[in-house]
Amino acid sequence: MSNDASFDLIIHAEKAVLPDGTGSVTIGVTDGKIAEIARGGQDLDAAASAGAKVVEVGADEVLLPGLVDSHVHVNDPGRAEWEGFASATRAAAAGGVTTIVDMPLNSLPPTVDVAALETKREVAAPKAFVDVGFWGGAIPGNTADLRPLHEAGVFGFKCFLEDSGVEEFPPLEPAEMQTDMAEIASFDSMLIVHAEDHEVMSAAPKNSGPKFADFLATRPREAENVAIGRVIDAARATGVRAHILHLSSADSLEQIAAAKAEGIRLTVETCPHYLVFTAEEIPDGATTHKCCPPIREESNREALWQGLIDGTIDCIVSDHSPSTAELKLLDTGDFGAAWGGISSLQLGLSLVWTEAAKRGIELTEVVRWMSSAPASVARVSNKGAIAEGNDADFAVFAPDEEWTVHATDLYHRNQISAYDARTVRGRVTSTVLRGTPVDFETPTGRLLQAR
């Protein structure tokens, strides 16, 4: 950097997760950007350091890049009683997440044209405590809206191959998915797919009742496996960047790995609930644990972990999909009729780190899966790594602190949680957005556009 530029902030950490591993750093921040990084015992530019505020990260803490969560349902406007930008982004910041990308549903209107995108931006702008980007939606009949949405700055497009749960966001037939893929490939954006096959689902048992095993049978692995195969075939035919959302079925890992080896532009995410819970442990009637696709057996969970380790799965994101307590039907425990979604935006890092540490996985890997990888997949610029030129987004994390989750302490608007009373390891102690600590009172988040 030039000597006439002064640092606003200097952060020193004996332990920081950097792109090439963990080390001691001193970081100079100017105008919200990482201007200089001094490794080990090196010093920052002395002239630029004069007068800067200095922050020392505790000896029992690790400085992380701010996490990037590219799968969040904020539901605002239209269903803000389910969540909302103020509550969602506070929760994100409390969990060390400094960037979210909001899904095109379940807001009203859904983000399927430029007018709806502008409505959502107007609602989000004054409420955001972290930076917020937006996905567009691909629904039947809106192929002509995809390029304008891309030009307006969405990070890609989401579609369903099975009922989304809300009537204003219907699923695509596989043929129209491929048509949309060809259009999206023409401007090098990405289609992200809720991959459960409608035909397989139609043949599966129907369920309305409290038994989790009965619910699990309604959404078989084969529905995911077939749908992912359809995505791979269409991506091969069109050359599009395609992304599999919330992978639940480990049976699909082999075909995903083969597609990647073939050179198909395919990426894959999974979520904390698939890496923490097992079907065997979910009590009947525990609709807090309902999500789609569902949580599967212990052997499946361990195979997903292996898929992360070997690189078949690229990243971990929340699929934060909240609702009111009433929609969860906690009184009847009816899995068939309850809203499907698990809220974990504030908890993801602690949940994943708890499980990763049990398996001997390093914190650097967890950070890659939850920060640099989702930033790379979604092409969110200047995020996801402690690197010069990036936004000065950080999470300070105490990896050895154990604590118990209490749903009523969370920033989520509806304080019901599948993780209530669960003891976890690792706590985010502070979060910094573009060089400024998040104070949970003044929203300083910005709206992001794809470049």
Side-chain angles (χ1 to χ4, degrees):
M1 63 173 291
S2 60
N3 290 334
D4 60 352
S6 298
F7 300 134
D8 310 310
L9 172 71
I10 294 172
I11 302 176
H12 176 72
E14 283 301 315
K15 290 175 285 188
V17 174
L18 304 165
D20 60 353
T22 302
S24 171
V25 294
T26 304
I27 299 168
V29 176
T30 302
D31 295 331
K33 296 281 189 180
I34 299 172
E36 186 177 344
I37 300 174
R39 302 288 295 268
Q42 296 177 322
D43 294 325
L44 293 173
D45 184 301
S49 300
K53 179 182 178 181
V54 178
V55 172
E56 294 280 347
V57 174
D60 59 347
E61 297 173 325
V62 184
L63 185 69
L64 312 180
L67 304 187
V68 176
D69 192 335
S70 57
H71 193 152
V72 180
H73 294 269
V74 180
N75 311 325
D76 193 7
R79 292 189 174 97
E81 70 275 13
W82 295 13
E83 190 59 273
F85 281 101
S87 54
T89 55
R90 279 192 180 100
V97 176
T98 52
T99 302
I100 66 169
V101 189
D102 172 61
M103 285 290 163
L105 72 163
N106 305 298
S107 54
L108 294 169
T111 316
V112 295
D113 56 37
V114 172
L117 174 65
E118 291 307 319
T119 297
K120 184 169 280 191
R121 283 179 168 155
E122 289 171 9
V123 170
K127 301 178 182 178
F129 286 83
V130 301
D131 288 354
V132 180
F134 302 93
W135 297 108
I139 62 171
N142 85 323
T143 303
D145 291 300
L146 303 181
R147 184 179 290 271
L149 277 165
H150 168 72
E151 292 172 350
V154 299
F155 284 84
F157 303 90
K158 180 177 187 177
C159 76
F160 282 74
L161 294 178
E162 170 58 311
D163 179 25
S164 72
V166 292
E167 63 182 4
E168 68 275 2
F169 204 96
L172 294 180
E173 293 291 336
E176 189 169 4
M177 177 184 70
Q178 184 161 327
T179 297
D180 285 354
M181 280 187 174
E183 172 68 4
I184 292 165
S186 73
F187 46 82
D188 196 29
S189 188
M190 179 166 64
L191 186 69
I192 63 176
V193 185
H194 180 121
E196 288 182 287
D197 185 73
H198 178 71
E199 291 182 8
V200 175
M201 292 282 291
S202 297
K206 303 298 181 284
N207 171 61
S208 58
K211 289 188 176 296
F212 185 77
D214 290 345
F215 167 63
L216 189 58
T218 69
R219 304 190 90 100
R221 298 184 194 204
E222 188 65 10
E224 275 190 271
N225 303 338
V226 170
I228 289 169
R230 293 188 192 278
V231 173
I232 290 169
D233 289 344
R236 179 188 293 113
T238 60
V240 78
R241 288 191 293 131
H243 180 74
I244 302 300
L245 296 165
H246 44 51
L247 181 68
S248 160
S249 172
D251 290 353
S252 280
L253 290 169
E254 185 175 350
Q255 66 173 333
I256 290 166
K260 289 185 168 193
E262 184 186 331
I264 293 171
R265 302 169 78 192
L266 183 70
T267 50
V268 183
E269 68 184 41
T270 194
C271 307
H273 37 277
Y274 303 127
L275 300 169
V276 171
F277 294 121
T278 65
E280 292 90 341
E281 71 184 286
I282 298 175
D284 290 343
T287 52
T288 48
H289 294 64
K290 179 182 176 179
C291 57
C292 302
I295 293 160
R296 304 193 189 276
E297 297 80 5
E298 181 180 9
S299 59
N300 186 86
R301 179 188 66 180
E302 296 312 308
L304 291 176
W305 275 106
Q306 187 56 46
L308 282 161
I309 291 166
D310 67 27
T312 305
I313 301 172
D314 298 272
C315 56
I316 304 171
V317 293
S318 68
D319 187 15
H320 179 72
S321 186
S323 72
T324 62
E326 290 76 14
L327 288 174
K328 275 294 188 181
L329 303 181
L330 302 174
D331 52 346
T332 66
D334 186 337
F335 278 102
W339 177 257
I342 292 178
S343 300
S344 62
L345 183 53
Q346 186 170 337
L347 301 171
L349 178 58
S350 297
L351 293 167
V352 174
W353 169 236
T354 301
E355 296 299 316
K358 292 177 185 175
R359 293 164 174 81
I361 298 169
E362 297 291 335
L363 183 59
T364 51
E365 285 294 282
V366 172
V367 170
R368 181 170 64 82
W369 292 328
M370 302 188 75
S371 188
S372 61
S376 175
V377 167
R379 292 187 177 175
V380 182
S381 301
N382 303 316
K383 304 286 189 182
I386 298 175
E388 290 182 6
N390 274 2
D391 291 345
D393 296 349
F394 307 104
V396 179
F397 187 59
D400 297 324
E401 182 176 340
E402 289 196 349
W403 57 286
T404 300
V405 176
H406 298 292
T408 53
D409 292 340
L410 302 176
Y411 282 102
H412 304 158
R413 173 160 294 177
N414 290 282
Q415 294 171 319
I416 54 174
S417 175
Y419 302 102
D420 191 38
R422 192 177 189 92
T423 298
V424 294
R425 177 181 175 189
R427 185 193 289 272
V428 174
T429 59
S430 64
T431 301
V432 176
L433 180 68
R434 280 177 282 98
T436 301
V438 177
D439 65 5
F440 301 94
E441 295 178 3
T442 306
T444 60
R446 296 179 182 174
L447 305 188
L448 306 177
Q449 295 193 37
R451 296 175 182 173

